[in-house]
Amino acid sequence: MQESNQTWDAAIIGGGVAGIAAAVALARSNYRVILLEKRPLLGGRASSWIEHKTGMRLDACQHGTMRCCTNLTQLLEWIGTADKIRWQEVINFVD
């Protein structure tokens, strides 16, 4: 990380959904915000990982996109990524 002479009104530690939401809400209110995350991608428990045996990217937050998490939907709209979700009309579960 490079040093900066910038000053911030708020520092958010953790780039999970709550950290991203806090940073976005503050930034939308014209606060200067820095969001700090130790991992190479944002999302926390709502992110994905590469499964080493298959090489496939696996999602860890399927429940967040079942249209019951309206706060997540709003956050995705705020950050301009809602169009990246492939919404399904029917969700089938396997017993």
Side-chain angles (χ1 to χ4, degrees), residues 4-80:
S4 172
N5 292 330
Q6 277 189 294
T7 58
W8 309 100
D9 298 314
I12 307 298
I13 310 298
V17 173
I20 295 168
V24 169
L26 288 167
R28 288 173 56 92
S29 296
N30 297 316
Y31 288 94
R32 293 171 302 200
V33 181
I34 186 169
L35 175 62
L36 305 169
E37 170 59 48
K38 69 179 178 179
R39 295 181 353 151
L41 72 147
L42 297 175
R45 289 191 226 165
S47 62
S48 60
W49 73 95
I50 302 295
E51 199 281 319
H52 296 292
K53 289 182 182 177
T54 64
M56 293 178 62
R57 180 169 293 278
L58 300 178
D59 182 18
C61 188
Q62 303 90 344
H63 67 281
T65 55
M66 294 175 66
R67 297 195 183 219
C68 55
C69 296
T70 56
N71 291 339
L72 179 60
T73 303
Q74 177 66 57
L75 177 61
L76 294 173
E77 290 173 7
W78 282 353
I79 63 175

